[in-house]
Amino acid sequence: MPTDVRCLVETDESSAVVRLTGVLDLAGLDAVRGALLARLWQRPGAAIVDLSRVRIADPAARGLLDEVHRAAVDWPAAGLLVCDPAGEPNGGAAVHRSLDSARAALRDAPLAAVLAADLPPVVAAAREARALVTEGCARWGVPELAEPASIAVTEMVNNVVAHAGTPMTVRVAPRDGALHLAVRDHSARRPAYAGLAPVTSTGGRGLLLIDTVARRWGSTPLPDGKVVWCVLHAEDEAGLRN
């Protein structure tokens, strides 16, 4: 996947390895960032970014992988490992000095559980999304999250139908007692949350509902759209029920 004349992002759908080749400088950061985030969404599970064939021309560019890690860390079934012969820590993703070491760490990690559905931008999509998250909550032993997760995913899907009007992918995965939800669409328009709405207002309450049921949420731009995500914790629901 070419991104910039000086730095290429090379991917292989059959492999978790993403190779950067050439020279990474400040001018190429946006293109490489977008390519890496797109790759992390396309293939659930952790990816290994191999830096052994790239020269980082500016020390400030080293923060790119930390930025990508932070942007995607709360997506369902997403993760980032780095192969860097220099062993430079980046403050986020795990760094390995060799590709063999990174691959071994990936093999030793538990296989990511994930459910996903591709949906059209129609009102009925919210019902299918609720069924998906309810199935996931039952399968992964967090039935108490089925109701708040259904609220969140309904609003996320309805926002796509009302404002993006593009096909979407809904993805849900468990991690450490939490449920990670995301909806990916193909519109650059990002959700804007202005806090509590006046009681006399009509509409605009979807993000408030997500903010109410989720511990954290956000949106991440991609080269051809965005990912809107949220994280719900079972312990939060348990506290409300006590």
Side-chain angles (χ1 to χ4, degrees):
M1 181 189 302
T3 60
D4 181 83
V5 293
R6 289 170 61 80
C7 184
L8 300 181
V9 180
E10 299 178 324
T11 64
D12 178 355
E13 287 302 316
S14 65
S15 169
V17 178
V18 181
R19 289 186 173 87
L20 301 191
T21 61
V23 178
L24 176 62
D25 54 21
L26 295 181
L29 286 187
D30 286 346
V32 174
R33 180 191 302 109
L36 290 177
L37 287 170
R39 178 63 177 83
L40 284 172
W41 178 264
Q42 288 164 0
R43 190 177 190 270
I48 300 170
V49 179
D50 183 4
L51 303 181
S52 61
R53 302 179 186 175
V54 68
R55 181 171 69 84
I56 299 180
D58 191 308
R62 281 204 167 270
L64 171 66
L65 294 182
D66 181 35
E67 184 181 340
V68 171
H69 169 77
R70 290 196 309 269
V73 68
D74 282 322
W75 292 1
L80 188 68
L81 292 80
V82 178
C83 169
D84 183 0
E88 294 280 352
N90 62 58
V95 177
H96 298 264
R97 288 183 175 273
S98 72
L99 198 53
D100 286 344
S101 173
R103 282 174 166 151
L106 200 59
R107 285 195 303 268
D108 292 342
L111 187 65
V114 61
L115 293 175
D118 295 320
L119 303 175
V122 298
V123 173
R127 182 176 65 250
E128 295 186 50
R130 287 193 296 271
L132 185 78
V133 300
T134 300
E135 177 188 349
C137 289
R139 178 181 298 187
W140 300 318
V142 285
E144 65 270 32
L145 288 179
E147 181 179 350
S150 292
I151 292 171
V153 81
T154 295
E155 299 306 327
M156 294 160 77
V157 168
N158 284 345
N159 279 342
V160 176
V161 175
H163 302 297
T166 73
M168 72 191 91
T169 300
V170 178
R171 189 173 291 171
V172 55
R175 190 189 311 158
D176 300 328
L179 195 71
H180 295 246
L181 296 175
V183 177
R184 191 260 203 263
D185 65 49
H186 297 275
S187 167
R189 180 176 178 179
R190 299 179 67 183
Y193 176 55
L196 295 175
V199 295
T200 55
S201 68
T202 58
R205 297 184 181 276
L207 296 180
L208 173 61
L209 288 172
I210 296 172
D211 190 69
T212 299
V213 300
R215 184 175 294 189
R216 56 189 179 274
W217 69 275
S219 66
T220 309
L222 297 182
D224 62 342
K226 63 183 175 295
V227 175
V228 179
W229 55 267
C230 69
V231 182
L232 300 91
H233 285 251
E235 62 189 46
D236 293 347
E237 283 301 303
L240 290 174
R241 295 168 190 265
N242 290 335

